[in-house]
Amino acid sequence: MPVFDDYLSPHAQQAVIAGLFIAAGWWVVALQNRRRDAKQRAERVGDVQRALLAEIRAHVVALEAQRLDEDEARRLLDSLRDSGRVPVIPTQANDRIFAAIIDEVHILPASVIDPVVTYYRQLSVMAAFAEAIRNQARKDAARAVEMFGDYLGLTEAARETGHEAMRLLMASIFGGERAVQELLEQEEQAGARRIAAALPGELADLRDRLSKRSSDRSGL
């Protein structure tokens, strides 16, 4: 390096060159490590999401198969009241995968965490309520039957939250965070359109009721 001969001895120049090579090597290794870590994290996020999707889907399918419409639920409760029987609610474990990865849930995309946690929280509520029904059945069968009616409502809520979690997980798995945001935006816009379409009729109905009340008061 003749340019530096006036400033550095040949030995010093060699040391500088060696130092530059070492620094460049560190930078390359660090970049490779970051890329490897990012790839492994992305793979882990994908694996966790797919596992959760499979667990949620299996339970939602079961809930769909057991679903009762309003008339069916009413007939079932009437039959239980008449017979004095209490339905047997099996102890279920539909959160094993979630329980296994609970410490890693933070690695999921932010927009997916809330619906997933909401679904599994609903399962926890159902499990606690089922245990309360079993305990109540030993003391007051009639009261346990009424509680079972509330439990049916909890299963419907679990089905709905499960569908929501599934839709966002599938969007995230196959399209990434951008697909999730687009889905949420579409749903928000659809909700705004439904409100806008229903609002005029609701306001007209409210005006009619207020007008009728005013007329009734004036006639007194």
Side-chain angles (χ1 to χ4, degrees):
M1 299 174 64
V3 175
F4 298 105
D5 285 348
D6 295 336
Y7 307 97
L8 296 173
S9 66
H11 291 296
Q13 292 179 36
Q14 292 174 1
V16 169
I17 293 172
L20 290 174
F21 273 111
I22 292 173
W26 286 342
W27 183 83
V28 170
V29 170
L31 181 61
Q32 290 175 339
N33 287 340
R34 284 197 296 271
R35 288 177 175 174
R36 182 199 61 205
D37 292 344
K39 181 180 179 181
Q40 290 177 345
R41 178 183 174 83
E43 291 175 348
R44 181 56 181 165
V45 170
D47 290 342
V48 168
Q49 290 189 110
R50 286 180 174 83
L52 289 172
L53 177 60
E55 181 170 73
I56 295 172
R57 181 164 47 198
H59 186 223
V60 169
V61 168
L63 291 176
E64 290 284 3
Q66 300 165 8
R67 190 181 184 191
L68 302 176
D69 61 28
E70 187 175 341
D71 290 338
E72 290 172 333
R74 184 173 59 254
R75 287 196 297 270
L76 173 60
L77 293 175
D78 288 343
S79 173
L80 292 172
R81 293 187 188 102
D82 294 340
S83 65
R85 293 182 295 106
V86 178
V88 176
I89 304 176
T91 301
Q92 301 181 9
N94 300 303
D95 62 347
R96 289 174 179 169
I97 292 177
F98 182 74
I101 59 92
I102 186 66
D103 292 335
E104 295 183 90
V105 72
H106 64 279
I107 71 174
L108 296 175
S111 52
V112 171
I113 291 177
D114 186 60
V116 167
V117 171
T118 298
Y119 165 75
Y120 283 102
R121 186 183 299 122
Q122 183 67 24
L123 294 192
S124 297
V125 171
M126 288 175 59
F129 204 78
E131 182 62 24
I133 293 174
R134 285 189 284 269
N135 292 335
Q136 185 65 41
R138 291 190 284 268
K139 299 179 292 185
D140 186 345
R143 175 57 183 157
V145 170
E146 300 308 316
M147 292 174 66
F148 180 70
D150 295 331
Y151 181 81
L152 293 178
L154 293 179
T155 63
E156 183 66 13
R159 188 189 66 82
E160 293 176 357
T161 57
H163 275 296
E164 177 69 7
M166 285 169 55
R167 288 190 307 106
L168 294 179
L169 280 170
M170 291 180 67
S172 179
I173 290 170
F174 297 108
E177 181 68 13
R178 185 174 181 178
V180 174
Q181 292 303 322
E182 289 178 354
L183 177 60
L184 293 174
E185 290 173 3
Q186 291 171 4
E187 291 180 348
E188 183 178 354
Q189 293 171 2
R193 286 193 295 270
R194 285 194 297 270
I195 292 173
L199 188 58
E202 292 176 354
L203 290 176
D205 183 59
L206 178 60
R207 283 195 298 268
D208 290 342
R209 291 200 303 270
L210 292 174
S211 177
K212 186 176 184 302
R213 290 177 183 174
S214 178
S215 298
D216 292 341
R217 290 195 188 98
S218 63
L220 296 178

